[in-house]
Amino acid sequence: MGGGVLSQLLGFFFWGFLWLAGPVAVYSGGPGTSGADAVAVVVDGTAAIAVTDGDFVCATLDWWPPEKCDYGTCSWGLASLLNLNLSNPILLNAVKAFSPLKLRLGGSLQDKIIYGTGDPKPQCTPFIKSTSEMFGFTQGCLPMSRWDELNEFFQKAGAVIIFGLNALNGRVTLSDGSLGGPWNYSNAAALIRYTVNKGYAIHGWELGNELSGSGVGARIGADQYAADVINLRSIINEIYQGLPDKPLVLAPGGFLDTNWFTEIISRTKPNSLDVITHHIYNLGPGVDQHLTEKILDPSYLDGEAGTFRDLQRILSSAGTSTIAWVGEAGGAYNSGHHLVTDSFVFSFWYLDQLGMASTYDTKTYCRQSFIGGNYGLLNTTTFRPNPDYYRPASHPTSFCCGFTANSIVY
């Protein structure tokens, strides 16, 4: 490790310690130091500016098959929710070490997957690679036998589950290119009902993936999306009726578009939408050869603060109980970049994001991914931890760097 990078890291930890330690005064210079050179820093550790969830750190599991390739590299292997080796002890222990760890199950293909509940009776077939299809794959299916296996694993690991539902069922193409028409929720409702009947604990049901604003692959207007969120709330209220705990309703799992997000918040007040989720890939594509320079450039990293600030302002001005999460953040889209987003240097981006998100009252931050692609916290092949696995402490009230606090102070 270069001396410059090491000194930056040590400095980060030093200031992070002071940031959380309470009222501290730091003075630079000794006797005879001129006024022009003297520096005094006072850290008031008693005034909280934001509060995170106790289990702030979250990670994602995705649907991508092994045939998912980017820029000639196929980095997903057997890391999909459909084929991940759930009997691997390293995987189990890696999740248990963060218990309770929030796991968000979703991603691009969630809006192309159906659930093999038998009600209704769609054909349950696997994803097949097809260049003519959105995201390069045909419709896939989650068999209930696999859903049972996943839930058994989650229970053993002490994971807290957020499941991303297919929001594209029933849509029609409108004249402006967006998708309209009400969400056909029959298959989603069948999955939710099956889940409740089996006694599986789900912390939240999230509607759709990256369909907000201009969308990625497809888009839906905020007015229609709000109506669909309200329907999801009604489904959950009906199916969970009489149960002591009801899961959260989350949406839209997309990139911030201020007008779109403002409208959906307005239309789902006061209590239809518990959590508004947004995604962050502020470093650009994984093929970018300048990722390291961006990661080590504080001014570049600071540019993402505007996203958090805008969303915080939307929520505070709307007078809503809805809170904000980062539902997926991998830094560099299209699976990241090997030896960058799965290496030590990526910690500078990750830690900066955790601190920035916390400062703007983000309650939970979900890292893409726990395993899979070139940005996983675990190596896709060996399951051994990559450097970023160690960045957030395993203590449930830690948000970064091993410091135990869930109030962000200045």
Side-chain angles (χ1 to χ4, degrees), residues 59-63 80-82 84 86-87 91-92 95-96 99-106 142 146-164 195 200-203 205 370-371:
T60 68
L61 292 173
D62 215 308
W63 296 103
S80 165
L81 285 160
L82 296 172
L84 183 61
L86 302 177
S87 63
L91 177 67
L92 177 63
V95 177
K96 288 176 71 173
S99 181
L101 174 65
K102 286 174 181 161
L103 287 175
R104 181 254 186 177
L105 316 183
L142 171 63
R146 180 60 175 179
W147 185 227
D148 294 339
E149 293 169 356
L150 286 165
N151 278 280
E152 181 182 1
F153 173 82
F154 298 146
Q155 290 171 1
K156 287 180 181 177
V160 175
I161 302 305
I162 297 90
F163 188 92
T195 301
Y200 300 148
I202 300 296
H203 186 62
W205 297 95
F370 193 73
I371 186 168

Side-chain angles (χ1 to χ4, degrees), residues 109-131:
L109 293 183
Q110 81 178 55
D111 291 313
K112 301 201 69 173
I113 197 161
I114 58 173
Y115 318 116
T117 61
D119 181 23
K121 298 180 179 179
Q123 187 177 6
C124 198
T125 56
F127 290 115
I128 298 174
K129 191 172 180 61
S130 173
T131 55

Side-chain angles (χ1 to χ4, degrees), residues 74-79 85 88 90 371-373 378-384 386:
C74 307
S75 59
W76 284 87
L78 299 178
N85 180 6
N88 187 297
I90 301 177
I371 186 168
L378 301 184
N379 181 283
T380 302
T381 304
T382 67
F383 290 74
R384 294 187 179 278
N386 286 323

Side-chain angles (χ1 to χ4, degrees), residues 1-2 42 146 155 203 205 231 252 265 272 288 295 320 352 359:
M1 184 192 308
V42 178
R146 180 60 175 179
Q155 290 171 1
H203 186 62
W205 297 95
N231 280 334
I265 287 293
S272 291
D288 188 343
I295 291 166
T320 177
D352 184 80
T359 301

